[in-house]
Amino acid sequence: DAGVIQSPRHEVTEMGQEVTLRCKPISGHNSLFWYRQTMMRGLELLIYFNNNVPIDDSGMPEDRFSAKMPNASFSTLKIQPSEPRDSAVYFCASSIWTGGKSGELFFGEGSRLTVL
Amino acid sequence: AQSVTQPDIHITVSEGASLELRCNYSYGATPYLFWYVQSPGQGLQLLLKYFSGDTLVQGIKGFEAEFKRSQSSFNLRKPSVHWSDAAEYFCAVGAPDSWGKFQFGAGTQVVVTP
């Protein structure tokens, strides 16, 4: 079975450019998470969706970041304009949530972003 | 809100020796507990999980973890490490009453020497 698929795997861009990261969750999973990983801050939850609806975006750093989930099989994380401090590995993860019990997170391989 | 601490940033172990990674959590009730492993350039892979029931949990790659409520711990163990176990290991805590807000520890980097 296909796991969580992220693209691009690597992105190098210049400050001020728009960056769009993409994620396809595992089929049948109803929850999707975006994490950012840096050496300084470790793994940070940016936002998560349940049944395509954003539930908590309190981890989104600022208005330059936005995330959408137009359908159950696709999500995007957009940074506009990008800044060097946004350089990090961005992970997408999906899970199954049924009522009061959650399942584990399944992670994609990440998108490594470098903003020059 | 829940939190998790991994006291050891870095551990060096000889191949064939045993390994124990520490994880302490803070939460008012029994949380969901997970251990993940991350190899360089890769995503996080689930090793094992605890939701309820038997406090000794078996995972993949020969790992096990024990939930100790009295110590608020969920330590990961492996009796005999292989060179391929060199990676970063993350403990994570999920709260049944605030689902989605998984907290990850800072990670423990494991180096395996010949």
Side-chain angles (χ1 to χ4, degrees), chain B residues 9-94:
Chain B
I9 296 173
H10 187 274
I11 285 181
T12 299
V13 60
S14 299
E15 191 168 14
S18 64
L19 174 68
E20 181 168 12
L21 303 182
R22 295 182 292 165
C23 173
N24 295 101
Y25 69 88
S26 174
Y27 184 63
T30 300
Y32 300 146
L33 295 161
F34 310 86
W35 275 101
Y36 284 85
V37 61
Q38 184 181 29
S39 297
Q42 301 296 312
L44 280 73
Q45 180 185 20
L46 181 72
L47 286 175
L48 45 79
K49 61 188 177 185
Y50 174 80
F51 287 157
S52 63
D54 193 347
T55 57
L56 186 62
V57 181
Q58 301 298 320
I60 62 171
K61 304 185 180 186
F63 284 92
E64 67 177 24
E66 187 171 11
F67 169 57
K68 291 187 177 180
R69 186 191 309 275
S70 62
Q71 298 178 18
S72 298
S73 68
F74 189 57
N75 294 348
L76 181 72
R77 298 191 294 255
K78 185 169 184 177
S80 176
V81 299
H82 187 261
W83 63 266
S84 60
D85 294 323
E88 189 154 21
Y89 292 78
F90 293 90
C91 181
V93 177

Side-chain angles (χ1 to χ4, degrees), chain A residues 1-30:
Chain A
D1 290 339
V4 176
I5 299 173
Q6 293 187 244
S7 65
R9 289 294 312 277
H10 301 274
E11 175 91 6
V12 180
T13 190
E14 293 187 347
M15 183 173 63
Q17 296 297 306
E18 178 179 293
V19 173
T20 299
L21 307 178
R22 298 172 178 79
C23 175
K24 177 179 170 57
I26 294 173
S27 177
H29 283 192
N30 61 354

Side-chain angles (χ1 to χ4, degrees), chain A residues 31 48 56 102 104-105, chain B residues 36 38 42 49 51 99 101:
Chain A
S31 296
Y48 72 94
D56 188 334
S102 65
E104 66 269 28
L105 301 182
Chain B
Y36 284 85
Q38 184 181 29
Q42 301 296 312
K49 61 188 177 185
F51 287 157
W99 183 87
K101 292 224 175 217

Side-chain angles (χ1 to χ4, degrees), chain A residues 48-116:
Chain A
Y48 72 94
F49 297 83
N50 193 34
N51 294 322
N52 311 339
V53 176
I55 302 300
D56 188 334
D57 65 354
S58 59
M60 296 285 263
E62 48 198 272
D63 292 345
R64 297 184 297 108
F65 286 69
S66 62
K68 294 182 180 180
M69 192 166 185
N71 57 62
S73 59
F74 184 67
S75 177
T76 59
L77 177 67
K78 187 175 292 187
I79 308 172
Q80 166 65 20
S82 58
E83 297 183 2
R85 59 190 168 127
D86 302 329
S87 298
V89 181
Y90 291 82
F91 286 104
C92 177
S94 69
S95 179
I96 295 175
W97 182 70
T98 55
K101 187 173 183 177
S102 65
E104 66 269 28
L105 301 182
F106 292 80
F107 283 81
E109 294 194 330
S111 294
R112 180 174 295 275
L113 173 65
T114 302
V115 183
L116 304 175

